[in-house]
Amino acid sequence: MSILNTLSSGHHVVDIDGIQQSFHVAGQGPVMVVHPGGPGIHWQYLRMGFLEHHFTMLYLEPIGTGGSGRLAEHPHGYTVERFAKQLGRFLE
């Protein structure tokens, strides 16, 4: 069963390849994933209340920020490729 079928509003954490991925769910409707700009950027700056009336919004806290896990190879591990891999695994 997909995690998307069991989501409720609020804060959630999943383990992806040994790294904690924190995300927040708000709204209802088709799922839309929102990924902030990167480390040091708080997820709430992209909060879109209007869209929450039409979509289930999944606001990620990228790895290295907020409640998500950190990489052992910091600072060289936080690359666009690494974020894309984490996002791809999250969507699986």
Side-chain angles (χ1 to χ4, degrees):
M1 176 186 294
S2 168
I3 188 172
L4 299 179
N5 293 330
T6 61
L7 290 180
S8 59
S9 292
H11 179 245
H12 302 271
V13 178
V14 294
D15 185 277
I16 299 175
D17 299 330
I19 299 174
Q20 297 292 303
Q21 175 67 66
S22 181
F23 64 100
H24 304 264
V25 178
Q28 58 186 3
V31 174
M32 185 177 293
V33 177
V34 181
H35 192 294
I41 307 292
H42 196 271
W43 70 273
Q44 285 185 320
Y45 89 94
L46 283 178
R47 184 110 193 232
M48 295 171 263
F50 175 77
L51 291 179
E52 293 172 10
H53 294 288
H54 306 283
F55 298 95
T56 299
M57 305 294 288
L58 275 64
Y59 298 100
L60 298 181
E61 291 188 50
I63 52 175
T65 66
S68 291
R70 299 336 188 232
L71 298 176
E73 61 268 14
H74 176 67
H76 305 291
Y78 296 102
T79 63
V80 170
E81 293 80 15
R82 186 63 180 91
F83 285 121
K85 178 182 175 187
Q86 186 78 6
L87 178 60
R89 293 283 290 130
F90 178 79
L91 295 174
E92 288 177 359

